[in-house]
Amino acid sequence: MLDSKLPGGPIEKSWDTHRFNLKLVNPANKRKFEILVVGTGLAGASAAASLGELGYRVKVFCISDSPRRAHSIAAQGGINAAKNYPNDGDSVYRLFYDTVKGGDFRAREANVYRLAQISNNIIDQCVAQGVPFAREYSGLLANRSFGGAQVSRTFYARGQTGQQLLLGAYQAMMAQVHSGRVQMYARREMMDLVVVDGAARGVVVRDLVTGKIERYSGDAVVLATGGYGNVFFLSTNAKACNVTAAWRCHKRGAYFANPCFTQIHPTCIPVSGDHQSKLTLMSESLRNDGRVWVPKNASDARRPRDIPDAERDYYLERRYPSFGNLVPRDVASRAAKAVCDDGYGVGSSKLAVYLDFADAIKRDGENTIREKYGNLFQMYEKITGEDPYQTPMRIYPAVHYTMGGLWVDYNLMSSIPGLFVLGEANFSDHGANRLGASALMQGLADGYFIIPYTIGGYLAGNTLKPVQPDQAAFTDVSRDVEHRINKLMNNKGSRTVDDIHRELGKLMWDNCGMARTKESLQKVRDEVPKLREAFWNDVNVTGSEGELNQVLERAGRVADFLEFAETMALDAQTRNESCGGHFREEYQTEEGEALRDDENFCHVAAWEFNGVDKPPTLHKEKLEFDYVKPSTRSYK
């Protein structure tokens, strides 16, 4: 049932061959097709811009007041590409190799190689748009290093790379809005998917300002709505990030792949109290010049500057001499947790480690560090009140990215024909752990360079009957949405939405977070149904549905998290191995590293929805490795 449509032949030619074999839509016929794009981050905005420029009629839906507020702006450190400008040994194949290895051999080779191939085109595209990448004195684009690689391949715009890339995609999309080929609908949240004759043909959205339920029909739907990290309540994600769009598609028949693969980012500002609603990411790029350490004496209460070098444990450099502070995120996160669990943590909570720039400032000068990371240092000082030029940052791992998502084939089409899924919303490229600076790469690759080809192949290869928003299928889905909203609004219990969400998040973090066991995951599966029942019986949703109502918005999203969390825990419990960000304590090496089971779990786990109170059905897509043979990851 899971036909990934992987092309045959040599991997370096597979994408070119596949593109040639895709059916084409005549330029004059493109204007006959209407495509609905949900989400306006990097993947969604670049897709809408590209499809509009090709001549398709596009409707694009933005959950914020402007696409410029998409969470893509929070990606600070950079974007990978195999340009090899530093002449340090990089290549398309090395980027492919590092990504497959970094994902702990749980991603499709063909998808990853295509991503590496396209990476160079992305940089050219963005430079042509005017993205202000950092440059060397000579004028050439600058590169810096990121975790999981021994070459410098990350292009950056100080600590604002995501924002600058998003502005490039945004201006390209708005040019198409101006031309009339793209229609943009702001402050719309997708509430459900409409499936007609087995194919995705429309969406039902809610106008977040007026509360009006709206229906839109099209010939295909492109979902680019990001990840589900906020199931943990505290994460580096924007508060609007949610699982709702993907989960509603899942309930309409789209398989959800590898939901237990979540990424813990090692360099976040630690939790400071129960008042917080989210966490702040400090870019991985800081590990280029910052050194991570804890005191060798667990009871050492001195200020960090008063602790001499000989009395510090630079534990990443000690354990992983080849990569040092630039080990992949999952490795760095587990190492930080381990030293804190052993009592060596710093700060008042003892759940933090130091990220120290003293050596880099001494070597290169404060002005150089300020030019590379100035806005990041400023952000840290505003949040903590501490000057990182004078005292080390305190960091601790936190939930960041999600590698799981809706299952897609090589064409980025889900198990529902006509539903295409881009960027973080799909599962396709990162395996069990995403390398830093690869999220922006995937989002733009999917939007600019993949979906324009593959969606054309779908439209040209299928005869689609005309559909209208007043048809019975749209009416039925709209009625489902309205019933759900009314059910939420009729809840006038004693608990707030955030109170229940916070309880869910703690349950997930403690039992399905950085470390998991069979017993802890069973606890999630036992407790989530009780919490879901408490939500529907005792949550208090204030206001009304016919107005701007952020409590109602959050309630709908938390309701979906309460369903999704159970599948996430089931997936983690079913995968009896450790790989990447999925760390089962029962399966680890003597040195505390992840221990894979390639014989039994070298597959994609794709779950089919059978109802809220029924277990989902597991479908497996076997992963084949013809070019990068699975081995125990070593960064020593």
Side-chain angles (χ1 to χ4, degrees), residues 101-115:
K101 177 186 175 184
D104 217 353
F105 305 95
R106 290 296 177 263
R108 290 192 197 124
E109 281 191 328
N111 286 69
V112 177
Y113 194 91
R114 175 175 65 182
L115 180 64

Side-chain angles (χ1 to χ4, degrees), residues 414-488:
S414 73
S415 52
I416 300 177
L419 175 63
F420 294 82
V421 189
L422 313 187
E424 191 179 1
N426 74 34
F427 87 101
S428 65
D429 291 357
H430 305 299
N433 175 66
R434 177 177 67 79
L435 292 185
S438 288
L440 304 182
M441 178 173 63
Q442 185 206 353
L444 293 181
D446 289 355
Y448 281 138
F449 296 105
I450 299 176
I451 196 64
Y453 289 97
T454 60
I455 204 168
Y458 168 75
L459 295 172
N462 291 274
T463 301
L464 300 171
K465 297 178 182 178
V467 296
Q468 298 297 329
D470 59 358
Q471 289 182 208
F474 287 81
T475 301
D476 291 343
V477 174
S478 295
R479 189 179 297 116
D480 290 345
V481 169
E482 290 167 356
H483 173 74
R484 187 178 180 87
I485 290 174
N486 290 335
K487 189 177 178 181
L488 288 168

Side-chain angles (χ1 to χ4, degrees), residues 192-195 247-254 416 476-477 480 609:
D192 217 328
L193 179 75
V194 181
V195 179
W247 189 248
R248 302 293 170 84
C249 291
H250 175 57
K251 294 175 77 169
R252 294 290 175 186
I416 300 177
D476 291 343
V477 174
D480 290 345
F609 184 78

